[in-house]
Amino acid sequence: MEYDLSEEERALQAMVRDFADDVVAPRAYEADRDHTLPLDVVAGMGELGLFGLPFPEDVGGQGGDLFALGIAIEQLARVDQSIAITLEAAVSLGAMPVHRFGTAEQRARLLPDLLAGTALAGFGLTEPDAGSDAGATRTTARRDGDEWVIDGAKQFITNSGTLITSFVTITAVTGERADGREEISTIIVPSGTPGFTVGPAYDKVGWRASDTHPLWFEGARVPAANLLGEQGRGFSGFLQILDEGRVAIAALATGAALGCLEAALAHARDRVVFGAPLATRQNAQFTIARMQARVHTARLAWHHAARLHGAGRAFAAEAAVAKLVASEAAMDNAREATQLFGGYGFMNEYPVGRHYRDSKILEIGEGTSEVQLLVIARSLGLAG
């Protein structure tokens, strides 16, 4: 189905699909097994212009939008969620805050490499005691002359420790508001800053080729000019970014659900059981039909949210719906595809096995399913 794509959008979809099949997929098992992000694949995405998709041409981008980014992420996630989340986080959490809230000097200095894919950046929000309750930030940044002095810890930070990571942007308490609430700001911390330590990579259940680390700050000093956006507006600014990220994650989840569907279809046609192809068995047919229904619904949900965003309309509730529906579709399709594959599905070299491990985080990262339900409930006027 075309899903009302323009000619340019169909061309983008085909280009990224070919790249995913020809370049990403052959490397996926090895990268997952070795827990290593293949930087040559990242470079290939940069050469295709994927990191610059939703940015204006006058800053080095491709002049596209969130919808174009979603198209690319969906196609990558079909074959490798680790690569897809590398792109999603690099754009939504790495480059977009700089583009949206940075000064002219910050944008000119940082965006070119980020949009070319020759550098990556992370966004440090989550802490040991501040996950869904992001406002419970404990990392602090105090002003000392012309510098910020940062102390604290972040965890589960994507793209924070690669060889091409140039900086992380973190949230930190920088003071107290008039009403007694903590003032939270965002600050750019370059890689290699004394007092800034990137911990060992996590040993994760899924997304094992994605780069993810804990971060520690012990008296880390950065110039006062590294403040990103207005002081005290860091948390509200991040919430804007998070809504867009939920649409992108929904596109990723849709791609994962699609990858499971495609694998299940191929397996059912090739696998012979009791003298006939598995595809002739009604149970398998019904299972695959439900998988298709989930992909269709998930895609419509993220398309709708992305189109609203592109039209400048409110989209936060629709983004929450899209992430909720798509992440559940990915998890359900991964489980059912693995069941159809039988023992083969339990082997990591088969993509459905990797999708089964990878997809669970889609119901947790960038806002848990419970948070999405809360957003949706509030949009319906249900206070809580």
Side-chain angles (χ1 to χ4, degrees):
M1 295 184 179
E2 297 296 343
Y3 293 90
D4 198 28
L5 300 185
S6 68
E7 183 176 345
E8 185 177 359
E9 289 165 345
R10 288 195 297 272
L12 171 65
Q13 183 184 63
M15 178 186 73
V16 181
R17 186 180 183 90
D18 288 344
F19 178 80
D21 289 340
D22 298 340
V23 179
V24 179
R27 302 286 300 281
Y29 169 62
E30 176 187 9
D32 177 84
R33 181 197 63 196
D34 297 341
H35 296 220
T36 302
L37 176 65
L39 291 179
D40 58 325
V41 174
V42 173
M45 291 193 292
E47 291 170 2
L48 291 179
L50 303 189
F51 291 94
L53 275 174
F55 298 93
E57 294 180 5
D58 60 6
V59 298
Q62 301 298 312
D65 54 14
L66 180 60
F67 192 88
L69 177 65
I71 288 174
I73 289 172
E74 181 183 306
Q75 291 305 312
L76 293 171
R78 287 172 41 250
V79 300
D80 189 349
Q81 291 189 44
S82 288
I83 288 296
I85 192 58
T86 298
L87 174 63
E88 190 280 330
V91 173
S92 298
L93 301 178
M96 191 59 71
V98 176
H99 173 65
R100 191 70 52 77
F101 307 116
T103 64
E105 187 278 331
Q106 289 169 339
R107 292 196 296 269
R109 175 166 50 88
L110 300 175
L111 283 181
D113 289 342
L114 295 179
L115 303 195
T118 55
L120 296 174
F123 195 102
L125 174 73
T126 304
E127 298 184 1
D129 295 314
S132 295
D133 183 11
T137 299
R138 294 292 174 264
T139 297
T140 62
R142 61 178 177 84
R143 190 69 180 267
D144 183 17
D146 291 332
E147 294 180 316
W148 291 105
V149 183
I150 305 169
D151 291 281
K154 301 291 181 178
Q155 65 181 12
F156 311 142
I157 310 306
T158 304
N159 293 341
S160 58
T162 75
L163 293 176
I164 60 171
T165 298
S166 58
F167 66 90
V168 296
T169 301
I170 65 161
T171 53
V173 177
T174 53
E176 186 176 285
R177 299 179 181 275
D179 61 6
R181 292 183 301 160
E182 291 178 332
E183 172 191 273
I184 297 178
S185 305
T186 48
I187 299 173
I188 297 169
V189 184
S191 300
T193 296
F196 168 33
T197 302
V198 178
Y202 292 104
D203 184 9
K204 296 171 292 185
V205 171
W207 286 4
R208 298 198 304 192
S210 168
D211 179 80
T212 319
H213 299 262
L215 311 177
W216 296 292
F217 304 89
E218 298 177 289
R221 290 177 173 268
V222 300
N226 281 26
L227 179 72
L228 182 64
E230 182 182 345
Q231 184 171 335
R233 298 284 297 171
F235 185 55
S236 60
F238 177 77
L239 291 179
Q240 298 176 38
I241 296 295
L242 190 59
D243 286 336
E244 297 172 9
R246 286 170 178 164
V247 179
I249 290 293
L252 192 158
T254 302
L258 175 61
C260 291
L261 170 64
E262 292 177 348
L265 272 170
H267 179 74
R269 288 166 176 158
D270 294 340
R271 175 68 168 164
V272 175
V273 292
F274 298 104
L278 181 60
T280 64
R281 308 297 179 183
Q282 191 175 74
N283 181 62
Q285 294 171 0
F286 284 4
T287 295
I288 294 172
R290 289 188 182 278
M291 294 173 69
Q292 163 62 11
R294 293 188 193 105
V295 171
H296 180 70
T297 304
R299 182 176 287 136
L300 290 177
W302 86 252
H303 277 205
H304 179 55
R307 292 298 195 198
L308 287 175
H309 175 272
R313 297 169 59 186
F315 71 103
E318 288 78 8
V321 169
K323 181 169 187 302
L324 178 69
V325 169
S327 61
E328 290 180 348
M331 195 69 240
D332 289 344
N333 275 18
R335 182 181 61 254
E336 294 197 343
T338 300
Q339 189 72 19
L340 277 175
F341 268 70
Y344 294 106
F346 202 60
M347 302 297 113
N348 280 327
E349 59 261 39
Y350 286 85
V352 295
R354 293 198 302 277
H355 277 306
Y356 187 71
R357 288 188 288 101
D358 287 346
S359 294
K360 182 57 194 173
I361 190 60
L362 294 168
E363 298 180 314
I364 299 172
E366 291 206 38
T368 63
S369 293
E370 291 77 13
V371 168
Q372 309 314 313
L373 290 167
L374 182 61
V375 172
I376 296 165
R378 287 176 174 172
S379 75
L380 297 172
L382 301 175

